[in-house]
Every structure is written in C-alpha cells, then in structure tokens.
Amino acid sequence: MSSLLKKIQELAEQQAHANIAARRHLHSHPELSFHEFETQVYVEKQLHELGIPTQRVANTGVIAMIEGKNPHKKVVALRADMDALPIQETNDVPYKSQNPGVMHACGHDVHTSSLLGTARILQSVKEEFEGTIKLLFQPAEEKAPGGASIMIQEGALQNPSPTGILGQHVATNIPVGKVGFREGMYMASADELYLTVKGKGGHGAMPDQCIDPILIASHIIIAMQQIISRNKNPRLPSVLSFGKFIAEGATNVIPNEVKIEGTFRAMDEEWRADGLAKMKKLAEGIAESMGGSCDFFVLKGYPFLKNNPELTLRMKEAAIVYMGEDNVIDLDIWMAAEDFAFYTHHVDACFYRLGTRNDDKGIVNGVHTPNFNIDEKALHVGPGLMAWLAIQELSLA
Ligand SMILES: [Zn+2]
Ligand SMILES: [Zn+2]
C-alpha cells in the first residue's frame, strides 16, 4: 500500500496545476443554486475527457462511477457541491467572477475542482484498488430544500448503494496544508421561524382600547428562550436567535401586528421536533392569553450533520498516514448547517474540513463574504487526500 500512497501523492502534485486551472474556471463562471447548467456541462466534459461516463441527476447534478478491479466488492461515494452565492465579488484577481452579483464565496468551486482532481487520480490508479467509487456532483447546497435531498430522492444513494460517503469543505480558520475531522455530531439542523403576532392597533395614549402586539411579541421572544434553557437536554447543543422584529407603529401608534423572524438550530432530530412543537404552543398560548393571536410558520431546513464515528476515525487515521500527524486536527462542533447532513442520515458519512487559510498572504476572510478567497495550495492537498481516503475505505473487507 505504501507504493500506492507515494504514487497518489506524486500524481496529486503533478496534477495540482490542472486542479487550480479548473478551480479558476469555475470561480470566474459561478452559477446560483439550481442553475448550475454550465457547471454541469463543464464537469461532464472533464469527466468524459478522462474516459469516465456520466449521468445527470437532480436537474443540474452529475453522477459518475469509477470502477476498480472487482467493482462489486464495495462502493464508496464522494460528494462535491457546485453552487455559488448571490454576492458581488470584490477580490481583484484574474479569475474574478464574470457573472455580476454571483460569486463562489463558499468554496464550492474548490470542492468541485478538487473532486475532478480526485477522479483524475482514481482513474489513473483504478487497476490498483478493488471496488467502485461513486462521484456525486450536486447542485444547490446553499438553498432550501438543498440539492442533497433531491439527489437522494432521485436515487443517488442507490444502484449501487455506497456503504460510506465522504465530503469535504474549505475552512478559512484552518491553515492551508492541514485538514480537520470530528466524529459524531458536527453541524446543526437549521429551521427558519416566521411569526406574525396579531393584536389591535390604535392610539398610544389609549392602550386599554388596543391589543398591543409589540408587548405580546416581546413576551414570546423572552419565553421562547426558556425552552432552550429549561426544556432542552443540557448535553445537546441548540440555538434560538431572532434577527428580525418589525413593528411599524410610531411613538404614539400601536400597530396591528408584529413580524418576528429567527433561526432554531439543534443537533438531535427528536429535540428538534419537540422544541419546535413547544415553541409553537408557547407562542400561540401567550398571544391568546393576552387577547391576540400568533401565526407560527416553520420553514424546515437541513437536518443536523452526524459523522459516523468509526468511519470518521478510520478516515482521520488514513489522513494522518497521507499528511502526517501535525497536519490533521480535531474540529469543534459548529452550529452552521450544511445539506451534506441529508446523506449522513442515510449512510455512514464523514464530512471533513480542508484548510485554506494563509495569514502571510492575507487570505483570512470568511466564507459568504465578498472578499473570501483560498490559498490554492489547498488544491495540492484536497484531491489526493480524498482519493487516498476512498481507496483506504474500499480496502476494508
Ligand atoms: Zn455556504
Ligand atoms: Zn459551503
């Protein structure tokens, strides 16, 4: 196996320039969620040039298979997301976004080009492993209901079914050259809450003739935090935040209604359902007890992301072999959401982070910002590492 390790590392180094060129192409041609039409064609073309057949899925997604020897032995899936964000890029780079108001500000150009690089490596060593690698290029990570959920609905995890799935995401807080893993719960579910609190407006000098929705909404917001502090199991991370409170009255006008919007995040599906039910009951009950009413609407987001502990530990150990112990770090729980989570509820999964930060070069800006960028040295790491991890997993009985 050590000669294969060396071979993959050499291939990764030789092909890094091609991965960077692919990343720059995708970066300058970003497309919004569910509109990855040119990206889809680009991915297909790259795979066809490698002699890998493709299949379309989820409208703008691509599935491809790389069969090693004894292809029915085992299947491992590798996933990359392909969509960009509605952000105007402010980086002054030659490969700057050419699509006004659209930018690869979450690194999905890196994920896609990295998986193409992984495919290139796997295709060159396919005589040296047993089993099948299934490549999933998915649309719309950034937009509900999430491309991953549609990929699954359309059978991406069947015919053949993988025993494990790997996904990677850029990390702006991890130095380039390092990667991070976390076993078990890693990222949160995220549901959007939309509340309309209705009362009866009127003159601010005569509150007795009104039903004040501002006071009702204030009570609701305070009481709902008690669900997090009093009803939730303290061992489970969970967050409730409200970022919008619209009451269009005036100094002397009590409005008819108030709109509140917030996010509820959790790392346990049972608690997620229970917490939402308790919030709805409490909000409606408080409004009613004060003479008003509350419409409580939940836009369901992604589930929480759970990394299979055994698979993740195996991948972490394989990463240490590939990169050295100093370059593999442990991740903290993160309350952001990611649609890779859908896969993790169907199949053993490992979602890990690829470091892209470089303080010396000033590459420090976070994802979803107009000046986000990566140190492209990450594309010397990501493709070969993923190929190595996938082959390690296939090599297990
Ligand atoms: Zn994002
Ligand atoms: Zn992302």
Side-chain angles (χ1 to χ4, degrees), residues 69-75 130-132 163 393-397:
K69 288 184 300 184
N70 189 11
H72 301 297
K73 181 191 171 195
K74 195 173 180 178
V75 181
E130 287 186 72
T132 296
T163 56
E393 193 51 23
L394 283 182
S395 73
L396 286 183

Side-chain angles (χ1 to χ4, degrees), residues 26-282:
L26 293 167
H27 192 85
S28 50
H29 300 91
E31 294 176 292
L32 290 173
S33 310
F34 298 112
H35 293 84
E36 304 88 344
F37 300 104
E38 286 178 28
T39 308
Q40 180 184 46
V41 170
Y42 180 81
V43 165
E44 288 170 335
K45 188 165 168 278
Q46 297 287 311
L47 292 171
H48 294 166
E49 279 173 14
L50 295 170
I52 302 169
T54 60
Q55 189 189 324
R56 289 190 169 183
V57 63
N59 199 29
T60 49
V62 179
I63 292 181
M65 232 84 75
I66 301 175
E67 295 188 339
K69 288 184 300 184
N70 189 11
H72 301 297
K73 181 191 171 195
K74 195 173 180 178
V75 181
V76 170
L78 308 177
R79 171 272 204 174
D81 44 8
M82 305 191 291
D83 55 326
L85 286 158
I87 293 177
Q88 177 67 44
E89 177 160 22
T90 58
N91 289 314
D92 185 16
V93 288
Y95 50 91
K96 184 178 176 159
S97 169
Q98 292 175 17
N99 296 345
V102 185
M103 176 190 177
H104 268 297
C106 200
H108 300 186
D109 52 340
V110 182
H111 309 159
T112 302
S113 54
S114 180
L115 188 55
L116 287 171
T118 300
R120 199 177 296 117
I121 293 169
L122 288 169
Q123 185 72 348
S124 352
V125 300
K126 65 180 185 177
E127 294 302 318
E128 295 175 56
F129 65 84
E130 287 186 72
T132 296
I133 310 274
K134 192 170 195 175
L135 308 172
L136 305 182
F137 292 88
Q138 72 150 80
E141 190 286 320
E142 298 285 1
K143 195 166 183 179
S149 69
I150 299 168
M151 296 280 286
I152 294 167
Q153 268 170 30
E154 295 193 7
L157 297 179
Q158 288 153 17
N159 301 321
S161 297
T163 56
I165 184 166
L166 310 180
Q168 68 175 346
H169 202 293
V170 300
T172 58
N173 59 340
I174 299 177
V176 68
K178 294 182 191 287
V179 291
F181 289 83
R182 182 182 183 88
E183 297 140 52
M185 60 172 87
Y186 172 42
M187 293 177 72
S189 60
D191 296 313
E192 294 176 13
L193 309 181
Y194 297 87
L195 283 70
T196 304
V197 178
K198 293 176 182 161
K200 181 168 164 264
H203 200 300
M206 293 176 280
D208 55 307
Q209 318 241 329
C210 304
I211 295 165
D212 183 356
I214 293 178
L215 192 64
I216 298 173
S218 304
H219 277 284
I220 287 174
I221 282 186
I222 290 168
M224 277 173 61
Q225 288 298 347
Q226 294 171 28
I227 290 174
I228 304 295
S229 78
R230 301 295 83 184
N231 297 113
K232 181 185 72 68
N233 181 332
R235 287 183 292 277
L236 293 173
S238 191
V239 167
L240 174 66
S241 294
F242 287 97
K244 199 165 185 177
F245 189 120
I246 303 294
E248 293 189 281
T251 55
N252 54 0
V253 178
I254 293 171
N256 278 316
E257 65 173 37
V258 169
K259 287 193 183 290
I260 320 172
E261 294 177 15
T263 180
F264 173 54
R265 291 165 187 248
M267 289 208 181
D268 179 277
E269 293 303 305
E270 216 173 298
W271 159 246
R272 178 188 181 195
D274 188 34
L276 285 171
K278 283 190 162 67
M279 285 176 207
K280 177 173 159 68
K281 194 172 174 195
L282 191 67

